[in-house]
Amino acid sequence: MKCFDCAWAEEVVDAVGVCHHCGVGVCLRHCHVALEPGHRLAGVGQSTLARPARELTCLTCHFAMAPVQQAEAKRSVH
């Protein structure tokens, strides 16, 4: 699999993973890796796992879902 963003720029770079949200292939230059708390269904609720899990996203999804970006956008509108 090749990196989607590199292919868009007419480059050929192997992907190192797949975006957790949109599913495109991403290389190291076009991905964001975060540690997210893992969750597991337990009985009638949800329990948080002891260690965080790795979540890889493309930069487009990362910036679209980042709370800081939303706060900055609200400030620039007012």
Side-chain angles (χ1 to χ4, degrees):
M1 180 184 294
K2 304 298 178 194
C3 174
F4 177 83
D5 289 321
C6 287
W8 194 262
E10 298 181 359
E11 299 175 30
V12 178
V13 178
D14 289 334
V16 296
V18 176
C19 177
H20 178 77
H21 296 285
C22 70
V24 301
V26 290
C27 68
L28 286 174
R29 193 174 68 198
H30 291 114
C31 73
H32 179 266
V33 180
L35 294 177
E36 297 291 331
H39 298 287
R40 177 181 300 147
L41 292 177
V44 296
Q46 191 177 58
S47 64
T48 302
L49 302 175
R51 295 182 356 191
R54 193 170 30 210
E55 182 179 278
L56 185 132
T57 56
C58 68
L59 295 179
T60 301
C61 289
H62 169 67
F63 289 121
M65 298 187 183
V68 173
Q69 292 290 347
Q70 294 170 359
E72 289 175 0
K74 286 180 184 177
R75 274 190 241 124
S76 66
V77 172
H78 297 290

